[in-house]
Amino acid sequence: MKTLTKTRKQVKEMTQKEFHNLLVENTGKNYHTENVVYIAYRYGDNYLTAYAEMILMAHLKIGCMTPKLHSKRSHVLQCLKARMLPCYQTTVWACI
């Protein structure tokens, strides 16, 4: 996936500030689905991470965010949000 510039390991090793900056930068590029993958790398389990990556692959293949993909992406985000500490929910959600 060419639009991902960081690996799961790199994302997990970032400080919260670095992670926040990555999400802000991607938001400015309209890389919202990529942000979901990064959030999954940081907070998700293998299932949510694979699901987020599948959504990104479909998004890139189709070339746009369909309503069905958007619904799936929103579901993954809600599952990920439930795993975050409340202080991180606010920080991360402001970037999405």
Side-chain angles (χ1 to χ4, degrees):
M1 293 172 278
K2 326 178 225 190
T3 55
L4 294 177
T5 59
K6 303 291 181 200
T7 65
R8 186 176 193 167
K9 183 177 186 292
Q10 289 171 319
V11 169
K12 284 187 164 280
E13 291 174 351
M14 289 178 172
T15 65
Q16 190 62 23
K17 177 72 172 149
E18 290 168 334
F19 184 61
H20 174 85
N21 290 342
L22 174 65
L23 297 181
V24 168
E25 180 182 331
N26 277 345
T27 300
K29 295 177 186 176
N30 202 29
Y31 283 6
H32 303 290
T33 307
E34 289 81 350
N35 278 350
V36 174
V37 173
Y38 288 142
I39 293 167
Y41 284 173
R42 193 156 176 104
Y43 299 105
D45 57 14
N46 288 335
Y47 174 78
L48 287 173
T49 300
Y51 197 22
E53 289 174 334
M54 181 272 310
I55 293 167
L56 177 59
M57 285 187 281
H59 182 177
L60 295 174
K61 182 178 180 181
I62 295 168
C64 66
M65 178 54 60
T66 65
K68 187 174 181 177
L69 279 178
H70 186 271
S71 176
K72 289 178 180 184
R73 185 179 76 183
S74 294
H75 175 73
V76 169
L77 270 174
Q78 289 301 320
C79 292
L80 290 166
K81 185 176 181 184
R83 294 169 171 257
M84 293 179 210
L85 293 172
C87 61
Y88 293 154
Q89 289 178 10
T90 303
T91 302
V92 170
W93 235 243
C95 300
I96 302 296

